[in-house]
Amino acid sequence: MTARIGVVTFPGSLDDRDTQRAIRLAGAEPVALWHKDKDLKQVDAVVLPGGFSYGDYLRAGAISRFSPVMDTVIEQAKTGLPVLGICNGFQVLTEAHLLPGAMLGNDHLHFICRDQKLRVENAETAWTGDYRQGQEIHIPLKNMDGRYVADPYTLDKLEAEGRVVFRYVGFNPNGSLNDIAGVTNEAGNVVGLMPHPEHAVEPLIGSGRTDGLPFFTSILKKLVNA
């Protein structure tokens, strides 16, 4: 049976179709989910894609967190449903308290769009199993509110428990504390990151690399072997 991975579309989502394509290239079936529907259509995993949901009014991800679909995502994530939040999706996950910390405006106060080098710090989550610990990859980054922050206790806890999944290498593009580009929850089924792996799955588009494809092959293998 083909694994089914849902992709939620909020008002202002920009990368939902790109994410669906990445899922299809990995060999799974993408399932479109609308933010007003609580029904996840029996998907095996969920991706919250990038974009500017609700125009990032109030605070990035703050309004989407209260969309009806998030009630179900939060409930099922707490019982093991794999969830990936990319850029705006990462912001939604922090607002929903599925991931610790918060996202603030870039320290230089400008939108940034670049090919970003990352180091894989945790290759044992549901979404990173096809990477190697310490592997350096290049993933496109585009954000205005990408500065990851948390209180000292939370940062120490994330570091001690190995829950920093990705770290910026060579250049911190937004002022994120500890150069953090992505984190996971304690169970390892929920992951959020600012860069966009769905834009690095084919050699002819995006970064010209396929460094982002293992996100989607990782979850596929995880689901198949579950």
Side-chain angles (χ1 to χ4, degrees):
M1 182 179 294
T2 302
R4 304 172 75 247
I5 302 177
V7 180
V8 178
T9 297
F10 300 98
S13 293
L14 301 179
D15 301 296
D16 44 347
R17 296 296 181 90
D18 303 75
T19 304
Q20 290 176 29
R21 179 171 177 78
I23 291 167
R24 191 176 294 111
L25 286 171
E29 177 188 351
V31 178
L33 301 175
W34 183 236
H35 74 112
K36 284 190 175 182
D37 298 331
K38 286 193 173 185
D39 182 9
L40 297 185
K41 302 180 181 178
Q42 297 182 314
V43 297
D44 303 298
V46 168
V47 180
L48 306 181
F52 299 90
S53 61
Y54 290 94
D56 279 350
Y57 291 114
L58 181 61
R59 189 172 60 246
I63 301 177
S64 293
R65 175 262 177 272
F66 292 101
S67 290
V69 71
M70 287 304 299
D71 290 339
T72 312
V73 170
I74 292 169
E75 177 185 348
Q76 294 194 20
K78 290 179 179 179
T79 60
L81 179 73
V83 179
L84 175 66
I86 302 171
C87 195
N88 190 231
F90 186 11
Q91 295 161 343
V92 175
L93 289 177
T94 60
E95 291 288 342
H97 304 297
L98 286 175
L99 291 175
M103 311 303 301
L104 300 181
N106 298 342
D107 59 351
H108 46 73
L109 304 181
H110 295 287
F111 179 84
I112 188 167
C113 182
R114 56 170 283 146
D115 191 18
Q116 177 67 47
K117 182 186 286 189
L118 307 175
R119 183 171 60 249
V120 180
E121 303 282 33
N122 184 338
E124 298 180 0
T125 77
W127 298 91
T128 56
D130 272 355
Y131 290 110
R132 301 185 312 276
Q133 195 85 8
Q135 181 179 353
E136 293 188 354
I137 60 177
H138 290 78
I139 302 290
L141 174 79
K142 51 176 186 175
N143 64 72
M144 182 68 187
D145 299 290
R147 178 161 52 110
Y148 182 80
V149 298
D151 62 88
Y153 172 80
T154 299
L155 287 174
D156 289 345
K157 184 176 173 66
L158 288 173
E159 297 286 2
E161 296 179 353
R163 290 168 54 194
V164 175
V165 183
F166 297 97
R167 212 180 298 272
Y168 298 117
V169 175
F171 173 74
N172 186 325
N174 44 40
S176 292
L177 298 181
N178 292 19
D179 297 327
I180 291 174
V183 299
T184 185
N185 66 340
E186 292 182 4
N189 62 304
V190 180
V191 171
L193 79 161
M194 285 310 296
H196 288 259
E198 77 281 9
H199 294 325
V201 295
E202 295 179 281
L204 293 180
I205 61 173
S207 67
R209 300 170 180 262
T210 59
D211 291 0
L213 193 58
F215 275 90
F216 307 101
T217 58
S218 293
I219 189 59
L220 179 57
K221 291 180 181 178
K222 177 74 172 180
L223 294 171
V224 169
N225 294 326

